[in-house]
Amino acid sequence: MNMVFQKGGSVYIMANKYNNVLYTGVSSELTIRIWQHKNNIHPNSFTAKYKCDKLVYYLNFPFIEEAIAEEKRIKGCIKEYKRQLINSINPNWIDLYESLIG
């Protein structure tokens, strides 16, 4: 019996404290990845450079390929669309990280 296990994934958007710099990413381990952003594990990264350490949006998918496709779609959109996407689930732009780990 040959079983293939699919791993899901998440697309997410990080913001800086002023909500004027946004970063869109994808991960199969969202909680770990956001922790890495918050702790500047990669000090030369975009999120570290622009202090994007607030998780303001995420969406989970059953397959990582779907999350990757959604990340590419969002990255191709203008900033105003991304702001509307965030507002649709998080109108106060609160940090959603606690809801992931709590």
Side-chain angles (χ1 to χ4, degrees), residues 32-98:
I32 294 169
R33 187 69 187 109
I34 301 309
W35 183 90
Q36 291 172 342
H37 285 304
K38 288 181 161 297
N39 290 279
N40 291 321
I41 298 302
H42 304 288
N44 296 321
S45 69
F46 180 93
T47 55
K49 182 176 179 183
Y50 292 99
K51 296 178 176 41
C52 294
D53 60 1
K54 184 167 60 167
L55 176 64
V56 291
Y57 175 90
Y58 68 93
L59 186 59
N60 299 319
F61 292 89
F63 301 103
I64 188 66
E65 294 82 4
E66 295 170 308
I68 292 168
E70 179 66 358
E71 178 205 27
K72 289 178 181 177
R73 187 188 73 75
I74 292 171
K75 281 187 171 184
C77 294
I78 61 171
K79 188 183 243 183
E80 184 53 35
Y81 174 81
K82 296 172 193 176
R83 297 183 73 76
Q84 290 173 9
L85 195 60
I86 295 161
N87 284 328
S88 73
I89 66 149
N90 187 2
N92 296 321
W93 290 59
I94 61 168
D95 191 342
L96 301 172
Y97 181 68
E98 292 300 320

